[in-house]
Amino acid sequence: LLSQLAKLAYRSGDLTGALGYLAHVRDLEPGNASTHFLFGLVCIELKLPPEAAESFRSALRLDPKNPYYHYALGSVLLQQNDPDAAIPHFQQFQTARPDDPRGRFALAVAFFDAHRADDARRELQFCLGRPETKAGALLYLGRLALQDDNLLEAERFLQQSSAVNASSPDAAVELSLVQIRRAEYDLAAKTLARVLRDAPDNYRANLNLLLL
């Protein structure tokens, strides 16, 4: 009954209520890994990453081979700026589901954040061939080229990323940084104006505008 109430609360948008019901279920059935996992997912939506991470760890203690639990914990650790801790969990997911591009892309992002550029490039090359991850792979390849100060290659990757996923502002924001480094200030201003017109609160766009 409590599980059903949690589902109803979640579907109605009452995340706090759903979390309360799941907490009761967790107390009654502490050995149920899926309850800990669901509790963690709701914590993520409520922007409670430490609580989410602890719930995912509890789920993994009960079901250590579940690839989705590893992916969820890796995602939270990445959000908490701990890519070194996230990498093994994404590797576990990739081992269990080698054809799922989400795991390869998440692993690539973790390698990027951990400053392991060669490992990131290896995973991103795989992601380029899958439509689900192509735009993101191009974005991160552009960021890697930007780190190497290879502005021509960075521009190429970022323009391709924008072409694949025009609705995302990320590639355009990074492209504006390429333009700033080239002293193409008018062009950078136009790029940032387009981004901020649609996403005025975009942090990186505003940061680049301050830099400009």
Side-chain angles (χ1 to χ4, degrees), residues 13 30 44 58 66 88 132 144 185 188 196:
I44 288 176
S58 296
N66 190 302
E132 309 97 313
L144 285 167
Y185 302 128
L196 292 169

Side-chain angles (χ1 to χ4, degrees), residues 9-204:
Y10 181 82
R11 289 171 183 166
S12 68
D14 181 10
L15 298 178
T16 304
L19 202 64
Y21 289 125
L22 287 170
H24 285 304
V25 176
R26 189 178 58 178
D27 291 340
L28 293 170
E29 294 184 341
N32 189 327
S34 64
T35 300
H36 291 284
F37 178 62
L38 292 172
F39 189 92
L41 291 180
V42 177
C43 284
I44 288 176
E45 294 203 38
L46 285 170
K47 295 180 172 53
L48 301 170
E51 291 81 359
E54 184 55 38
S55 292
F56 294 145
R57 289 191 181 99
S58 296
L60 278 170
R61 281 193 289 269
L62 295 165
D63 188 1
K65 294 184 178 180
N66 190 302
Y68 298 103
Y69 298 173
H70 280 288
Y71 185 92
L73 180 55
S75 298
V76 174
L77 291 171
L78 202 56
Q79 182 183 356
Q80 293 180 304
N81 298 316
D82 193 357
D84 291 315
I87 286 169
H89 294 288
F90 291 133
Q91 288 173 327
Q92 288 274 3
F93 181 88
Q94 180 186 340
T95 300
R97 298 187 62 83
D99 295 328
D100 191 328
R102 295 174 299 172
R104 302 292 289 265
F105 181 69
L107 181 58
V109 173
F111 281 140
F112 176 87
D113 287 353
H115 308 291
R116 293 170 58 175
D118 290 340
D119 291 323
R121 283 192 181 91
R122 184 187 64 245
E123 300 302 329
L124 291 170
Q125 289 301 321
F126 174 87
C127 297
L128 279 176
R130 301 293 293 266
E132 309 97 313
T133 51
K134 183 175 182 178
L138 288 165
L139 171 66
Y140 274 87
L141 286 169
R143 286 174 171 168
L144 285 167
L146 192 55
Q147 285 183 354
D148 293 338
D149 208 29
N150 189 338
L151 301 184
L152 184 62
E153 186 175 82
E155 180 184 46
R156 177 168 59 85
F157 282 131
L158 295 170
Q159 288 177 339
Q160 289 175 358
S161 180
S162 288
V164 174
N165 185 11
S167 63
S168 174
D170 294 335
V173 172
E174 298 295 332
L175 184 59
S176 71
L177 190 56
V178 172
Q179 293 161 345
I180 290 171
R181 289 193 183 180
R182 285 178 167 175
E184 298 170 342
Y185 302 128
D186 290 341
L187 192 57
K190 291 177 182 178
T191 300
L192 289 170
R194 286 196 300 270
V195 173
L196 292 169
R197 181 184 60 216
D198 299 324
D201 296 327
N202 186 288
Y203 172 77
R204 291 180 67 87

